Amino acid sequence: MVTITVRKKQLVALLGNGVKFKDLDELGYRLELAKVVLESHDEKTDGLTLEITPDRPDLLSAYGVARALKGTLGIEAGSPKTRISDSSGHKIIVEKDAAAIRPVMVGAVVEGLKFSHDDVASLFETQEKINATIGRNRKRVSFGLYDADKVAFPIRFRTADAEKTKFVPLKATSPMTLRQMVETIPKGMEYAKLVEGHKNLPVLQGADGLVLGLIPIINEATSAVTENTTRLLIENEGTDWHSCNASLAMFCQDFAEAGAKVTRCEVSYPDGRNVFTPDTKSDGMKVSVSQVNKMLGVQFSPAHVVACLAKQRIDARVEGDFVHCEIPAYRADFLHPADLVEEVAIGNGYDNFEPLAPTAFTKGSLAPQTLHEQILRDFFTGAGYLELSTYVLTNGEKIRKAKSGEELVEVLNPVSRDYSAMRGTLLPNLLEVLSQNTHNDYPQRVFEVGEVVVPNPKLHEKMETRLHACIVAAHAAASMTEAASAGMELAKRLGKSFALGKFTSPQFIPGRCAEVWIDAKKAGVVGEVHPEVLANFGLQAPCAALEIFAGE
Amino acid sequence: MNDNELKVLKALLDAHGYLSAGQAARESGLEVSAVQSALVTLEKMKLAEVRREEKKLISLSKEGERYARQGTPERRLVKALRELKEAPLEEVSANAGLDGNEKKIALQWAFRNKWVKNGRGNDGRAVLSLGAPAVETREELLLQALLRGKHLGAADASLEAILRQRGLVSEKVEKSVSLKALPPAKKALEENAALLGQLTPQMLKDGSWRNARFREYGLETVAAPLPQLARKHVYREFLERMKTKLVGMGFREVRGSLVEMEFWNMDALFMPQDHPARDIHDVFKIRQPREGEIPDEEVFKAVYSAHKGGDSTGSRGWRYPMSKSVSQSLILRSHDTGISARNLFYDFRSPDRVFFFAHVFRPDEIDWKHFIEFNQLGGYVTDESMSFREMLGYLKTFAVEVFGAKGVRFLPTYYPFTEPSVTLNVEIPGKGWAEVGGAGMFRPEMLCALGVKHPVIAWGLGIDRLAMLTLGITDIRELNSHKIDFLRSR
């Protein structure tokens, strides 16, 4: 989940109309109705920490949250009005080489704002959050902000020689080549993979020759946005037109509502297209009232559906059974009419739906494996064994200590060496548990029935999840007789035959272990654990163990 | 009175006065612990008087003992200085054999006692020289006395505080119990001597039980803990109860695979391949082999087409070409919803109620709140007429049946595979409001690709959290506790 911090005072002021909340709980409740979760409020800084769901990047700023709240509170209804005009002179030319790496480029210029230090900081915060979410860590969408007074139009989106092209990147003091940036500065190393394999790297360059930034990695220092900036160039480029345009529209909507003059840039693509961005022409989407009612299980009138959508800041009109919706350009989350149905539900308020008691008849049952598991667990508990539940994740060291000889199913990206593989047998885990309990009373008799993973090339997923059962008795007189008898009695309980076959393994004392055959199928092993294994686990009590495949 | 109580009482009567618990144990031939439990009963029956005392014992700490034997650091400093007359600190401490920490202590106390002075040597170096005569302090005397085994008196309290502050002494409280017989004891013992402690097979055989009188048990002490108790694991038992409830509500259980292909775990749920939750930091992968095999070319094509352009659903889709190699990538199941996708494809029925309990794995910090392996309880419901309102009905049923909730709230939320989506908050009596689960209607893009024609609602409950709440466990790792005594006692 993504969180943002906005000042409570600012948020309430943005709602206008003298809106007041009785207390924090009421504000939290109102926010929840708009799909925003209030995590905390810091009394000292007045900062509200808000959790935003990843489908709603348009809520990643105070303006966006206020916009949504105004809808659910009934202060404003329908799509917010935007005042964005086409520019006369801000042109971006996309060259063919750059378009091959980042095919989409959009931009706009914002004027007439006075930025405070806090404004600049929150602008950058929103930018980074959008890059991270809808931008998929800058892969789909990556923003750049510039002081437009330092930029000479038209600007070009082109590629440049990585070894020869130089500029002073943000937070640096001397010029560096593009190659040096990619290889040495933190942002460069983090995002290098986005331009990997290209000899010439994408840059944005002003008409005066000043390179404004290495795309999508880092900007040039002198054209950076500061408290003194009065005209702002905001651009983003990426791989998906819809995501890029919607992300730019989010910013432009915020700026327009803050009272700025926003003008579109004209973007010329190498294929001859000329586009004014952001394109704020609403996307149309329609949904039938009967589909809304069927999905929600209600009998809403078309007028009510329209009113619910208006609360969600969506303009809609009725045409026969259909509701035609104008999706604001800043909403990036509409893929299917089902998304409109959710907007209707949220607009109506989840609390206002009467839950419907389940109707259909279905037969309940436990999975066959679970029933089998229960038989085994009842049996071993009755035989005096204490049930354990250990983790599936284990490590090679433990398996080597236990000499269980299983083929290790390793995790490619473990976060801890203790949990870097999946267990193929249960005995090593049980021995480990015993080793952590040497201070407790003996005899100790423990068991586990649980899932293990073994390679099986015949399966589509190459790994088989199997059910195993394992018992260990640890005490001064622990013997193979004890463990084998438990196995035999269990087979009897299951109505199956039980036999033992000669067997040697470094895990057990030679001559005091066997293979277990249940219904003429090899099912597992039984024996007295080898003293060397016991020593590996620091155990001073003899142990007898039985481990069987329990899947049938 | 039981046998042990009788034995103790007899010992007390023989002794004519107070016996310590240890003495009573020797006299009665019992363990001290047995005497301890017997005296509780005897005291309650007003047959014995019990005197409980606590004694504070002061003894030397390890450091204190060393100081008592070798002298305090300040004393050793002064001794060394006496030979050198005046010398730089380094030289004096080297001669006195003081290490870094002791040097600091020595200086601090030597200056406080005014035993040494700072000065300049003939060559202008900073040197130490002797100050006031270093008379043996009372603390030093006390250290010596403690070393000889002396007990501290009240007059030593202020000194003891200094020694304690310097970490030279430690305190131990010694508890002692002594007891003596009260007047009714004699009669009680005589009456009891005629009573029998055990019915025997012989008595049953020869019928002598008819004339026998049996001793009464003390109801406070007759029951004792069973140290070897075998029982089911507390979490697994909790889970069994949950499963029983779900079966009672008409749900059938299905199981899945611990190792899964990204295809079933994510693609089939309409999660785009560049979705943040699919990042290498959020999913564990298998080292070898890296990829499995897509089981069915048709279903792969259908899911591919849904991602690309929404297939025939009217969806815009995610507008990218799905990579087969990513789809086939083998991972440790990262959530339980993949089981839904698999089951909807292989075993679709309608109406149907399905549940599953799954171990799932996700890279995370490891602490009391998070572990990289945890459990989910989830499922789905299909029905031709399934609706959002009926989904709320199921959630409300869970809230009441599973959580015993008295209040329910539904909040909008987001899951990549459902629309609309809802979070379930419940008010649990005595515990307050808690977020306990979520649900949603599977997206049309997902259902279309899997060939499902009826609406399906998916639900999940935070089972580990519920278990912790119910069982009073505060550390998530305790759910898989390795502590045998804890498991035996729960």
Side-chain angles (χ1 to χ4, degrees), chain B residues 304-364:
Chain B
Y304 179 96
S305 157
H307 281 235
K308 178 95 188 161
D311 206 356
S312 60
T313 61
S315 167
R316 182 183 272 147
W318 289 115
R319 308 177 296 283
Y320 78 102
M322 227 169 74
S323 145
K324 192 165 190 174
S325 150
V326 171
S327 288
Q328 296 194 132
S329 173
L330 290 178
I331 58 167
L332 277 62
R333 179 166 68 194
S334 70
H335 60 170
D336 62 351
T337 319
I339 305 176
S340 294
R342 232 178 212 281
N343 218 64
L344 284 169
F345 180 69
Y346 285 110
D347 187 19
F348 176 74
R349 310 174 194 180
S350 184
D352 197 9
R353 293 177 192 157
V354 167
F355 83 96
F356 29 75
F357 166 78
H359 289 296
V360 300
F361 308 87
R362 259 180 240 171
D364 204 338

Side-chain angles (χ1 to χ4, degrees), chain B residues 122-415:
Chain B
N122 294 337
D123 48 2
R125 290 183 306 170
V127 292
L128 289 176
S129 59
L130 287 171
V135 184
E136 201 161 18
T137 62
R138 290 175 60 210
E139 291 97 320
E140 286 174 305
L141 290 172
L142 200 57
L143 283 177
Q144 293 303 328
L146 283 168
L147 188 66
R148 287 193 307 269
K150 178 186 181 292
H151 290 300
L152 282 188
D156 305 316
S158 65
L159 293 174
E160 182 205 320
I162 294 178
L163 295 179
R164 198 194 303 264
Q165 197 188 345
R166 291 186 71 174
L168 303 181
V169 292
S170 57
E171 182 184 301
K172 207 166 61 185
V173 175
E174 198 179 70
K175 288 184 185 173
S176 66
V177 173
S178 54
L179 58 166
K180 80 168 188 195
L182 288 172
K186 194 151 182 270
K187 196 162 162 249
L189 188 66
E190 280 163 10
E191 278 174 10
N192 264 284
L195 302 179
L196 296 174
Q198 179 72 50
L199 177 67
T200 63
Q202 186 57 41
M203 292 161 75
L204 289 167
K205 217 167 160 183
D206 61 21
S208 62
W209 61 269
R210 290 175 201 283
N211 304 318
R213 282 174 62 216
F214 294 95
R215 211 173 289 141
E216 240 177 71
Y217 278 109
L219 299 187
E220 291 85 359
T221 50
V222 65
L226 288 179
Q228 301 298 332
L229 196 65
R231 50 158 301 162
K232 289 190 190 170
H233 192 275
V234 55
Y235 182 60
R236 301 282 297 261
E237 211 170 43
F238 165 81
L239 199 62
E240 263 180 37
R241 288 202 296 277
M242 292 296 117
K243 288 185 175 186
T244 308
K245 285 182 183 188
L246 286 163
V247 171
M249 286 184 252
F251 283 85
R252 68 181 172 102
E253 188 192 13
V254 302
R255 314 244 305 198
S257 171
L258 291 170
V259 174
E260 192 50 286
M261 268 180 282
E262 290 202 26
F263 180 75
W264 289 119
N265 196 77
M266 293 131 168
D267 294 339
L269 300 173
F270 196 57
M271 287 172 75
Q273 291 189 332
D274 66 356
H275 193 280
R278 301 184 62 161
D279 195 82
I280 185 85
H281 304 297
D282 293 288
V283 183
F284 285 120
K285 298 189 177 245
I286 294 287
R287 182 179 294 282
Q288 184 62 35
R290 295 283 173 88
E291 288 182 27
E293 282 164 62
I294 295 290
D296 180 311
E297 207 48 44
E298 289 305 309
V299 71
F300 177 77
K301 272 191 200 145
V303 171
Y304 179 96
S305 157
H307 281 235
K308 178 95 188 161
D311 206 356
S312 60
T313 61
S315 167
R316 182 183 272 147
W318 289 115
R319 308 177 296 283
Y320 78 102
M322 227 169 74
S323 145
K324 192 165 190 174
S325 150
V326 171
S327 288
Q328 296 194 132
S329 173
L330 290 178
I331 58 167
L332 277 62
R333 179 166 68 194
S334 70
H335 60 170
D336 62 351
T337 319
I339 305 176
S340 294
R342 232 178 212 281
N343 218 64
L344 284 169
F345 180 69
Y346 285 110
D347 187 19
F348 176 74
R349 310 174 194 180
S350 184
D352 197 9
R353 293 177 192 157
V354 167
F355 83 96
F356 29 75
F357 166 78
H359 289 296
V360 300
F361 308 87
R362 259 180 240 171
D364 204 338
E365 302 277 320
I366 296 177
D367 60 29
W368 65 275
K369 236 171 126 179
H370 307 94
F371 195 72
I372 50 181
E373 179 179 336
F374 56 100
N375 304 293
Q376 291 183 328
L377 183 69
Y380 63 80
V381 184
T382 57
D383 196 359
E384 203 172 351
S385 63
M386 182 54 63
S387 68
F388 180 73
R389 267 180 71 202
E390 194 168 341
M391 173 170 87
L392 299 186
Y394 274 96
L395 291 180
K396 199 174 165 186
T397 308
F398 289 146
V400 175
E401 295 295 322
V402 179
F403 299 96
K406 67 173 187 196
V408 183
R409 278 203 63 205
F410 305 114
L411 298 172
T413 189
Y414 171 75
Y415 301 110

